[in-house]
Amino acid sequence: MSSLNSTTLYHPPAFLLVGIPGLEKEQFWIAFPFGMMYAIAVLGNITLLIFIKTEPSLHEPMYFFLAMLSFTDLVLSTSSVPKMLSVFWLGSREIGFVSCLTQLFFIHTFSSLESGVLMAMALDRYVAICYPLRHSTILSVPVVVTLGSLVLVRGVVLVSPFCFLLHRLSFCQQNVISHSYCEHMAVVKLACGDTRVNVIYGLFVAFLVVGFDVILIFVSYITILQVVMRLPSTEARLKAFSTCASHICIMLAFYIPGLFTFLTHRFGHSIPHHVHIMVANLYLLVPPTLNPIIYGVRTKQIRDRVVLLFQHKAT
């Protein structure tokens, strides 16, 4: 028989990434701000990691979690943006089947890790404000390392089945991905077999990871708010709130485009496809770009080190 039967698996040797569907002519110019954001993200997060490692005053749970966040942002953006820019600038649309699954694995694993680190940072703020005298005891270095390891293992364990479930599907010679990178649902939509298991498992992972993390973050901040509002002076309340401001900004930059992308894939059929893909791209770029800027501006020790660095260069 010349046609593929239901028991034959066909994996294309490579997929073709469209980029931003509907904006193929404009995406050459769109790539310039994307490239600038990626350069800022790489430089900023590497600088943060170096400062946290070399500055003894930053050897605290909050900054250890920030170092985890910077490392996560580096991997997350580097897993997607270089290939994205090669599609936009060079028209290099081809990505091998195994390379696509590998990119998908890293993007989803480290998205899960970023959510987990943000949840851990919320717990850190909760302990720092609600139990300030026991902060260093509760969140000791071994506890911080254990939390970071757990959220990494969670991401690996939950995302690995994506690759195995995709590998069991046949793609019936369909290989054009209407996206800028290999995203789970974008690849699933190319399969010609029964994809219900993939869809259900994808929803399960999304709700388990984001649902669990967001609930813990919400409970942490409700408790923080109750404690802060009982503080005797306005100055003390403002100081307590200011310690959470950076974390809140980073959470909004991560969860808002992430939820938009997730919901649009499944329910937002009336939203133009290029809007969906543009937001999905920004989801991988905006948090890594903003995180070092926000913490660099709001953290005195980091700000002072940057000023000192430029003063040395000037002399």
Side-chain angles (χ1 to χ4, degrees):
M1 291 178 65
S2 59
S3 62
L4 293 168
N5 61 45
S6 59
T7 62
T8 303
L9 288 180
Y10 173 75
H11 296 155
F15 290 110
L16 295 177
L17 295 166
V18 170
I20 305 176
L23 296 178
E24 287 87 352
K25 293 181 180 179
E26 293 83 359
Q27 65 191 18
F28 177 85
W29 302 106
I30 293 171
F32 284 97
F34 279 19
M36 289 179 62
M37 291 171 69
Y38 177 61
I40 293 170
V42 171
L43 180 62
N45 284 295
I46 289 176
T47 303
L48 266 185
L49 287 170
I50 293 171
F51 283 175
I52 292 170
K53 178 177 174 56
T54 58
E55 178 57 54
S57 64
L58 298 180
H59 293 176
E60 300 176 2
M62 174 183 174
Y63 299 109
F64 290 143
F65 287 128
L66 179 57
M68 294 179 195
L69 191 67
S70 292
F71 175 75
T72 302
D73 285 336
L74 280 172
V75 176
L76 187 59
S77 56
T78 303
S79 298
S80 56
V81 179
K83 180 59 183 177
M84 190 189 302
L85 294 178
S86 73
V87 173
F88 292 171
W89 276 332
L90 306 176
S92 178
R93 300 168 58 200
E94 187 174 292
I95 182 169
F97 182 79
V98 175
S99 298
C100 183
L101 295 188
T102 302
Q103 185 188 57
L104 181 152
F105 171 80
F106 275 98
I107 288 173
H108 288 287
T109 296
F110 280 84
S111 293
S112 168
L113 179 57
E114 178 131 359
S115 180
V117 173
L118 290 174
M119 177 267 293
M121 293 174 81
L123 292 177
D124 171 72
R125 292 300 82 207
Y126 163 75
V127 174
I129 291 174
C130 300
Y131 304 98
L133 300 179
R134 299 172 55 197
H135 181 226
S136 59
T137 304
I138 296 173
L139 286 176
S140 61
V141 173
V143 171
V144 171
V145 172
T146 300
L147 276 174
S149 301
L150 285 175
V151 293
L152 175 59
V153 170
R154 180 188 70 170
V156 171
V157 169
L158 290 176
V159 173
S160 294
F162 283 171
C163 301
F164 295 113
L165 289 172
L166 283 169
H167 201 274
R168 72 178 182 86
L169 294 175
S170 179
F171 290 86
C172 298
Q173 302 185 23
Q174 298 185 67
N175 70 334
V176 179
I177 301 176
S178 297
H179 213 303
S180 305
Y181 55 87
C182 289
E183 195 271 343
H184 177 242
M185 283 304 300
V187 178
V188 167
K189 288 177 180 178
L190 298 182
C192 58
D194 186 355
T195 62
R196 283 177 296 179
V197 174
N198 300 71
V199 173
I200 292 170
Y201 185 71
L203 288 169
F204 167 75
V205 170
F207 282 117
L208 179 64
V209 172
V210 177
F212 179 79
D213 293 345
V214 169
I215 288 171
L216 274 181
I217 291 170
F218 180 75
V219 171
S220 296
Y221 272 99
I222 288 295
T223 309
I224 288 170
L225 185 62
Q226 291 173 343
V227 171
V228 169
M229 295 309 294
R230 290 199 294 266
L231 293 175
S233 67
T234 303
E235 184 180 352
R237 288 195 290 269
L238 289 175
K239 185 177 179 180
F241 277 130
S242 69
T243 65
C244 301
S246 301
H247 183 240
I248 292 171
C249 291
I250 286 172
M251 285 193 302
L252 294 175
F254 177 75
Y255 283 115
I256 289 176
L259 287 172
F260 177 88
T261 301
F262 171 76
L263 294 173
T264 302
H265 249 314
R266 290 153 181 87
F267 312 111
H269 304 298
S270 61
I271 295 175
H273 197 41
H274 66 272
V275 174
H276 168 213
I277 302 304
M278 182 71 78
V279 175
N281 293 341
L282 293 174
Y283 166 66
L284 298 181
L285 264 172
V286 172
T289 304
L290 288 182
N291 292 351
I293 295 173
I294 291 171
Y295 272 98
V297 169
R298 293 191 58 85
T299 305
K300 185 179 184 301
Q301 297 96 318
I302 297 175
R303 195 167 61 243
D304 290 346
R305 286 293 300 271
V306 172
V307 171
L308 189 64
L309 183 65
F310 279 107
Q311 285 176 346
H312 278 306
K313 286 189 175 181
T315 56

